[in-house]
Amino acid sequence: MKKLFADRIEGLAQSDIRRMSIECAKVNGINLGQGICDQPIEPIIKEATIKAIREDRSIYTRLDGIDELRQRIAKKVREYNRIPCDADGEVIVNVGSTGSFVTACLAFVDPGDEVILFSPFYGYHLNILKACGAAIKFVTLRPPDWSYDAAALEAAFSPRTKFILVNTPSNPCGKVFTREELAHIASLCARHDALCVTDEIYEYILYDGRRHISPATLPGMDGRTITISGFSKTYAMTGWRLGYTVARRPLAAKMAILNDLINVCAPSPLQYGVVAAFDLPESYYETMRADYQTKRDMTVEACREAGFTPYPPQGAYYMLCDFRELGFKDDQEAARLILERAGVAVIPGSSFYVDPRDGRTQVRLCYAKKMNDLEEACRRIRALRTVLA
Ligand code: GLN
């Protein structure tokens, strides 16, 4: 019989993130697994979207997105990220920032090209790269501060390096790259004529007074950085699937062609609606940051009380936690028993590491939940020892 599946899908399976959501729904648990982000969307965004639907703004848009939205994205990128950006030719609206990453990988990675990825990583980054045939070079981030060995990063670069992926703030460990680290990465990219693809989807979720630094703003990075972000996390609309890519014109032009081929365009009424997000006042972002910081601290506290060793994140809304003292056999058993006994879904740690042993004593928790649900989840986590006994 003929080989059925393409090589690129060999070895790819449903992610633990999705699997745990299914398991969680079966037992009606509280889902601290998948980063669902179930806060309500701001009314002005909903109203603008409903208006767009009523007005039948429902046909294809330009392949890189509607003018109003690209203009507002470009302005935000110039002001918040401090990246020079022309709305006409340097912004592409995609179907989620995952869609942005797919177009970047398809545009730049030939099978065998090297791409540098930090471990722990977001599994979708890994698997999209695998599907493109990338030869992935890993650089390990070590808890508790998720620093890495500068020499190991230097050794990961080679003449075949196509790009390095920088996810800051990072999923799953919440690392926020420092200016010094980004400057080092920038100098290596320049030395090896490599690109830098970023994932900055959590750019507004930073703790303890940290400020977001976009890799594209470091010396030598203009023209070699593909900056990816989106609306999902900042405006709590993970299911709307609206992301965007910012890059200099020649790079953006090719990715725009791929966006057209894969999606034609992002859903048009949602594009019209989300323009209203840019009218939200500064206080919206401050309130969101403060809310997540409270939720982070609550979750850290509950995990400590329960006997975990949490690694408090610097940004984003996930936390890796070591459970060695709780006596689970491994991370799969830990996730299974925490769901079974406490009704709280978490993700087994090994799914985030190139060497599964690095994550065998860890689970990832997501605290982007409504306050009531998170409070209940924290109560259940605190009671874990009792229900496990
Ligand atoms: N980014 C979210 C997470 O890491 C959701 C991922 C997904 O469902 N694909 O949990």
Side-chain angles (χ1 to χ4, degrees):
M1 188 176 141
K2 264 189 231 164
K3 182 163 116 14
L4 187 54
F5 294 108
D7 288 343
R8 74 178 66 89
I9 186 94
E10 283 294 319
L12 296 187
Q14 177 180 254
S15 71
D16 272 347
I17 296 176
R18 286 206 168 271
R19 184 176 63 76
M20 287 309 296
S21 283
I22 294 167
E23 298 298 318
C24 183
K26 280 188 203 156
V27 299
N28 199 17
I30 303 178
N31 194 352
L32 302 193
Q34 188 178 21
I36 293 170
C37 195
D38 61 357
Q39 335 282 328
I41 296 177
E42 284 296 301
I44 60 164
I45 305 176
K46 292 189 209 173
E47 291 312 319
T49 309
I50 292 163
K51 183 164 174 282
I53 292 172
R54 287 219 172 90
E55 290 173 359
D56 287 324
R57 296 181 174 232
S58 37
I59 55 169
Y60 304 131
T61 69
R62 251 175 76 144
L63 59 91
D64 51 358
I66 60 169
D67 285 347
E68 300 91 307
L69 184 54
R70 282 184 291 99
Q71 296 285 356
R72 297 301 291 267
I73 292 170
K75 183 166 180 287
K76 170 264 174 189
V77 165
R78 288 191 299 264
E79 290 170 2
Y80 185 72
N81 304 85
R82 299 171 190 263
I83 302 172
C85 177
D86 183 346
D88 212 7
E90 296 184 333
V91 177
I92 308 156
V93 180
N94 303 108
V95 175
S97 63
T98 302
S100 311
F101 188 61
V102 170
T103 61
C105 290
L106 289 177
F108 300 113
V109 179
D110 275 325
D113 281 349
E114 292 178 9
V115 172
I116 300 173
L117 191 61
F118 290 96
S119 171
F121 43 67
Y122 173 48
Y124 286 60
H125 290 148
L126 175 83
N127 285 334
I128 293 166
L129 285 167
K130 277 191 181 166
C132 291
I136 307 167
K137 300 277 167 189
F138 296 93
V139 176
T140 304
L141 302 170
R142 297 268 173 227
D145 59 350
W146 306 106
S147 57
Y148 57 86
D149 178 15
L153 180 64
E154 283 171 27
F157 274 86
S158 89
R160 297 183 61 83
T161 305
K162 207 53 185 282
F163 69 76
I164 178 168
L165 176 70
V166 179
N167 176 205
T168 183
S170 138
N171 176 7
C173 66
K175 177 181 176 64
V176 172
F177 283 74
T178 64
R179 186 169 292 282
E180 292 66 39
E181 287 170 335
L182 294 177
H184 185 220
I185 291 171
S187 73
L188 292 169
C189 286
R191 192 185 312 157
H192 295 276
D193 193 22
L195 298 169
C196 176
V197 175
T198 76
D199 179 347
E200 300 175 48
I201 189 80
Y202 303 99
E203 63 190 336
Y204 284 99
I205 308 173
L206 294 149
Y207 306 119
D208 310 313
R210 284 184 180 79
R211 304 213 72 81
H212 182 63
I213 307 172
S214 284
T217 59
L218 273 292
M221 293 300 262
D222 189 14
R224 63 168 79 252
T225 311
I226 292 95
T227 301
I228 295 176
S229 192
F231 298 93
S232 298
K233 321 291 176 172
T234 309
Y235 306 104
M237 45 172 72
T238 54
W240 284 36
R241 312 309 304 131
L242 287 176
Y244 55 86
T245 310
V246 168
R248 285 304 197 186
R249 203 170 297 275
L251 305 176
K254 296 287 191 199
M255 287 187 285
I257 293 172
L258 286 161
N259 191 47
D260 185 19
L261 292 181
I262 301 168
N263 299 306
V264 182
C265 64
S268 44
L270 303 187
Q271 288 192 53
Y272 285 102
V274 87
V275 172
F278 294 103
D279 292 333
L280 289 168
E282 199 44 44
S283 59
Y284 170 80
Y285 303 92
E286 284 155 19
T287 307
M288 177 181 60
R289 246 192 301 268
D291 179 55
Y292 279 130
Q293 178 139 344
T294 307
K295 288 175 175 168
R296 177 197 67 168
D297 294 345
M298 272 172 60
T299 314
V300 167
E301 229 12 77
C303 288
R304 281 201 181 121
E305 273 184 46
F308 289 96
T309 304
Y311 301 119
Q314 304 164 344
Y317 49 48
Y318 308 96
M319 180 163 71
L320 287 170
C321 258
D322 193 290
F323 54 74
R324 239 168 290 206
E325 283 176 33
L326 283 149
F328 300 112
K329 179 166 77 64
D330 59 21
D331 59 321
Q332 295 292 340
E333 183 186 89
R336 186 172 56 76
L337 285 178
I338 296 170
L339 182 59
E340 244 174 57
R341 304 280 169 85
V344 174
V346 299
I347 312 288
S350 56
S351 39
F352 301 102
Y353 288 90
V354 56
D355 182 347
R357 283 171 304 184
D358 288 343
R360 201 144 280 161
T361 60
Q362 294 173 10
V363 289
R364 188 195 76 172
L365 290 84
C366 169
Y367 47 83
K369 302 296 293 180
K370 293 194 183 82
M371 193 48 114
N372 286 348
D373 293 338
L374 187 64
E375 276 167 353
E376 176 56 24
C378 285
R379 262 193 294 278
R380 294 183 189 187
I381 289 170
R382 273 193 228 98
L384 248 183
R385 272 201 219 268
T386 333
V387 294
L388 288 172

